[in-house]
Amino acid sequence: MLSKDLSEGYVTVGRTYRSTADVPRDRDLFYRCGQCGGIIPSTPKDNIGCACGGVSIDKDMWRLFVGDLRTFEVLRATS
């Protein structure tokens, strides 16, 4: 599982979510792990996760896992 490790080219669009069911997803949205800083797409083609496993997506079940919602961020690509 690989994730983008760059934070340039993104703007934060959300930080405070009560549950993963409240987290938006779209082609231009990405998720940043607050633990390792890894960035993954919100609509991946395959299962994906950040380097530490704090944020991951099970594409087959359309399930988002976030270890700590307090440090989790949703980003929008600026380019």
Side-chain angles (χ1 to χ4, degrees), residues 7-79:
S7 56
E8 289 185 28
Y10 300 96
V11 293
T12 302
V13 295
R15 287 192 178 125
T16 54
Y17 300 99
R18 295 179 139 211
S19 118
T20 56
D22 299 331
V23 176
R25 69 176 185 219
D26 203 347
R27 288 181 296 177
D28 66 340
L29 295 180
F30 295 81
Y31 302 147
R32 181 181 359 215
C33 175
Q35 295 173 38
C36 70
I39 299 172
I40 65 170
S42 68
T43 57
K45 293 182 181 185
D46 296 307
N47 296 337
I48 193 167
C50 66
C52 74
V55 177
S56 62
I57 296 174
D58 178 346
K59 171 98 163 69
D60 301 326
M61 300 297 287
W62 279 109
R63 231 182 315 205
L64 170 64
F65 169 79
V66 178
D68 187 355
L69 281 168
R70 296 171 299 166
T71 62
F72 170 78
E73 292 181 306
V74 176
L75 309 173
R76 183 175 310 276
T78 57
S79 48

